Amino acid sequence: MAKKRTYKHTNNALVLTGGGARAAYQVGVLSAIAQFIPRNHACPFPIISGTSAGAINTTALACYASCFQLGVKKLEWVWKNLNTNHIYHGDPYRVLSHITKAVFGSFQADYANRSARSLLNNAPLRDLLNQVVDFKRIDNNILRGYLSAVSVTASSYSTGDSISFYQSEAHISPWSRENRRGEPTQINSEHLMASAAIPMVFPSINIKRQYFGDGSIHQLSPLSPAIHLGAERIFIVGVEQPKEPMHANENNPHPPTTSSVAGHLLDSIFSDTLQSDIERTQRINETIALIPEDIRKEQSGLKNIDTLLINPSHDFNAMAVKYFDELPLSIKILLRTMGITNDSESSITSYLLFDKNYCKELIKLGYEDAMEKEASIRSFLSL
C-alpha cells in the first residue's frame, strides 16, 4: 500500500502548461522527479493544476496520486506509444470529410443545429482519454488524503472568461475574479477535451450550454488556480524555449510567412502570460516581506508564494523538423497548403506532431533538464 504524504510542505503544487505534443516534455521532468521519490510513495504535489495538454497530464497524475512513480510510468508509456491517429483523424477520407462538413456548415441557417468547426477532428483523443484515465480514482485519492485538489482550466468562448474546473476537498470554496473563476465539478474527459482544444485546430466543446476552448487563451494568471486551491509552493513546467534558427540568413533576412506568424501567436498564447505571472508573484512577495508579521497574520489573504520554473533547454521547433515526415500524408499536404513544410520555421508542427519518436526525444530532454537541476528540485520540494 502506498504511503501517505510525509513531506515537510503539504501545500506543494504542480502547474503544467499547454502546448499540444510539446507536453511530452513535462513527462520527462516528472520522470526525473520520480527518481527522487521513494518507491510506492504518494505524489509530492497534493495540489495539481493544468492547462491544455498539461491538463491531461495533471489529471492522469491525480488518478495515481497514491503512487507517484506508477502514475509517471503510465503517463510515460502512453506518450512513448503515441501516434497522430490516437489524437486526431489523419487518413485522407476523414480529413477531407471533416473540412468539407465545415465548409458546408458555414451556409447553414442560424437556427440549424451546427457542429463546432475546426481544421482537424480530435475525436480519437476522447476515446484515448476514456480508455486510459480512470476519473473515479480522483475522488478516492482525495478521500484517502493523497490529493487535496486538481484543476483543469478552459476558456469560455461564450463569456470570454477563464474557467478552472476543480475537484477538491470540501473546504475549498469557489472563487471569482475579473474574467476568471473556479467552478467545483466532477472532472471528466469533456473538461480535458475543452482545455486542450487548440484554437481553430481542434473543435470547441459544449459544457453546460457554453462552448470552451484551449485554457491558455484567456488565462492571464496561470498560477491563480493553484493559489486559490491552497498552494504556497508552486513547481512549474513551462514551454518557453531558446530560439535556435533553423535557416538563419543574416545577410538577407526575409519577412515572416503567414504560418510563421500563426506559430508565433500560438507560442504567445502558451508561454507569455506564465512568465508575467511569475514576475508579478515575485513582486508581491517582495511587497509582503515589507509588511510586519503581526499585520500579515491578521490579513489571511496575504501569503508568500515560492515558485520554481523548469523550461526546456532546446528549441522544440528545431527538434520537430527531423520528424516532419512521420506525419500522415494528408496532414502534410494540409500543412503545405498553409505554407508549412519540413524546413519551415513555423512552430505549428511542434504542436501537432504526436509521433512517438518525437515524444520520446522530448521526454528525454525533460528528464535531462530536470536532472541538471536536481539539487534545486530536492531543496524546493524538501525531498
Side-chain angles (χ1 to χ4, degrees):
M1 183 176 177
K3 296 180 180 179
K4 290 193 177 184
R5 296 193 303 268
T6 57
Y7 304 107
K8 180 180 178 181
H9 298 283
T10 57
N11 290 328
N12 287 343
L14 173 68
V15 170
L16 299 182
T17 57
R22 297 176 172 196
Y25 174 84
Q26 301 168 356
V27 180
V29 175
L30 295 172
S31 181
I33 296 176
Q35 303 300 310
F36 315 150
I37 307 290
R39 188 178 179 183
N40 296 329
H41 215 290
C43 181
F45 307 103
I47 300 166
I48 311 178
S49 175
T51 303
S52 193
I56 296 175
N57 286 339
T58 55
T59 304
L61 280 182
C63 292
Y64 291 93
S66 61
C67 185
F68 184 65
Q69 288 193 5
L70 177 61
V72 173
K73 284 183 181 296
K74 285 184 175 289
L75 259 181
E76 195 170 347
W77 182 88
V78 171
W79 280 97
K80 285 185 174 180
N81 289 277
L82 268 187
N83 63 58
T84 53
N85 291 324
H86 288 131
I87 308 300
Y88 53 84
H89 292 311
D91 59 282
Y93 172 77
R94 288 182 174 177
V95 170
L96 181 60
S97 175
H98 183 71
I99 295 176
T100 302
K101 286 181 180 178
V103 172
F104 281 105
S106 63
F107 296 101
Q108 288 182 304
D110 290 338
Y111 57 79
N113 186 18
R114 297 182 179 181
S115 57
R117 301 171 200 163
S118 62
L119 183 66
L120 299 173
N121 182 359
N122 63 343
L125 174 59
R126 180 180 286 105
D127 296 334
L128 177 65
L129 292 174
N130 288 325
Q131 179 183 347
V132 302
V133 181
D134 186 357
F135 295 96
K136 295 178 181 178
R137 296 177 64 101
I138 297 177
D139 259 346
N140 189 38
N141 285 326
I142 292 174
L143 290 172
R144 296 167 64 193
Y146 297 121
L147 183 68
S148 176
V150 56
S151 77
V152 170
T153 300
S155 176
S156 171
Y157 289 127
S158 304
T159 65
D161 292 340
S162 176
I163 311 298
S164 295
F165 300 102
Y166 71 93
Q167 199 166 332
S168 71
E169 297 172 328
H171 66 84
I172 298 178
S173 302
W175 64 89
S176 180
R177 299 291 186 272
E178 186 69 25
N179 297 126
R180 55 187 169 91
R181 65 180 188 270
E183 293 187 2
T185 190
Q186 292 290 121
I187 294 174
N188 58 43
S189 58
E190 293 308 293
H191 298 101
L192 300 186
M193 292 290 291
S195 184
I198 299 175
M200 295 172 45
V201 177
F202 297 141
S204 57
I205 301 297
N206 188 344
I207 300 176
K208 295 182 179 179
R209 302 177 68 83
Q210 284 192 54
Y211 281 93
F212 291 88
D214 198 292
S216 300
I217 300 174
H218 295 123
Q219 194 176 35
L220 300 178
S221 183
L223 304 185
S224 172
I227 294 172
H228 280 290
L229 294 173
E232 294 181 359
R233 302 166 65 81
I234 305 177
F235 183 85
I236 312 150
V237 185
V239 291
E240 187 174 356
Q241 56 199 325
K243 299 300 179 185
E244 299 173 6
M246 294 175 284
H247 308 285
N249 188 350
E250 296 179 359
N251 296 325
N252 186 28
H254 55 75
T257 63
T258 302
S259 61
S260 295
V261 172
H264 279 293
L265 289 175
L266 281 180
D267 291 343
S268 297
I269 289 173
F270 288 116
S271 64
D272 287 0
T273 56
L274 174 62
Q275 195 59 48
S276 298
D277 203 21
I278 292 175
E279 291 177 358
R280 182 164 55 247
T281 301
Q282 292 171 344
R283 289 198 301 271
I284 292 173
N285 287 344
E286 292 171 358
T287 302
I288 290 176
L290 301 175
I291 302 174
E293 188 173 351
D294 55 337
I295 298 178
R296 241 185 293 168
K297 290 180 179 179
E298 294 176 2
Q299 301 293 328
S300 58
L302 296 177
K303 61 180 180 179
N304 186 86
I305 305 295
D306 295 322
T307 59
L308 179 62
L309 172 66
I310 300 289
N311 270 325
S313 58
H314 292 290
D315 186 358
F316 292 153
N317 304 334
M319 296 168 66
V321 167
K322 298 183 292 183
Y323 301 100
F324 183 84
D325 289 334
E326 300 298 326
L327 286 167
L329 178 60
S330 55
I331 301 300
K332 285 191 287 188
I333 294 174
L334 182 62
L335 292 178
R336 286 179 187 276
T337 63
M338 300 165 58
I340 302 173
T341 63
N342 60 336
D343 60 354
S344 172
E345 294 182 356
S346 175
S347 62
I348 293 178
T349 302
S350 67
Y351 289 99
L352 299 180
L353 190 56
F354 291 92
D355 170 72
K356 61 183 179 181
N357 294 318
Y358 172 61
C359 291
K360 286 178 182 177
E361 188 166 343
L362 293 185
I363 291 172
K364 181 174 180 289
L365 177 63
Y367 181 87
E368 292 173 348
D369 286 351
M371 291 302 290
E372 286 187 3
K373 297 185 178 182
E374 177 179 353
S376 299
I377 295 173
R378 284 183 178 273
S379 174
F380 186 80
L381 299 178
S382 300
L383 299 178

